[in-house]
Amino acid sequence: MRRIFNLSFFIFLFTSGFTWAATVTQAIKMDYFGYRTADTKVAIFTTNPGASVEIRNTADTVLFTIPTDGGSIASKGADTPSGDNVWWVTFTPFNAPGTYRLYVPSWASQSYDYEIRDAIYNAIVRPA
């Protein structure tokens, strides 16, 4: 009976549209406080992201693909202090307010969530 339940549960998960969250990677460095809509938006990658990086919302829907929809992926070579090879992923053209994550298809990994909104720094400045 238990095997039938386990099998039924997994069939339900795979047929219900349930998706597993991608692994969060430490190879993406960015402003996790967030960005204002008009800000220059750059993430630093310490591993080659490959041909594209996606901006996804919290429902895991792809909203913007870098560089196809705009932005750029540029190798910057070795960083002198750390010795890491770095890539700059620029996504300035994406400016819609909301909560997002960067997803790297070639790694099947993502950043932590971050926000884009004009008053993003107001709450941080008050205690300071």
Side-chain angles (χ1 to χ4, degrees), residues 6-75:
N6 288 341
L7 181 61
S8 298
F9 178 72
F10 284 110
I11 290 171
F12 167 75
L13 285 179
F14 290 111
T15 60
S16 67
F18 177 82
T19 58
W20 298 101
T23 304
V24 172
T25 179
Q26 300 301 312
I28 301 173
K29 281 70 169 157
M30 60 188 299
D31 185 351
Y32 286 111
F33 284 123
Y35 300 89
R36 293 174 296 212
T37 57
D39 283 349
T40 297
K41 300 168 195 77
V42 176
I44 308 299
F45 285 56
T46 54
T47 302
N48 185 346
S52 68
V53 174
E54 299 170 347
I55 297 177
R56 295 182 174 196
N57 62 14
T58 55
D60 215 30
T61 303
V62 178
L63 302 175
F64 190 87
T65 301
I66 306 157
T68 306
D69 297 326
S72 63
I73 300 171
S75 174

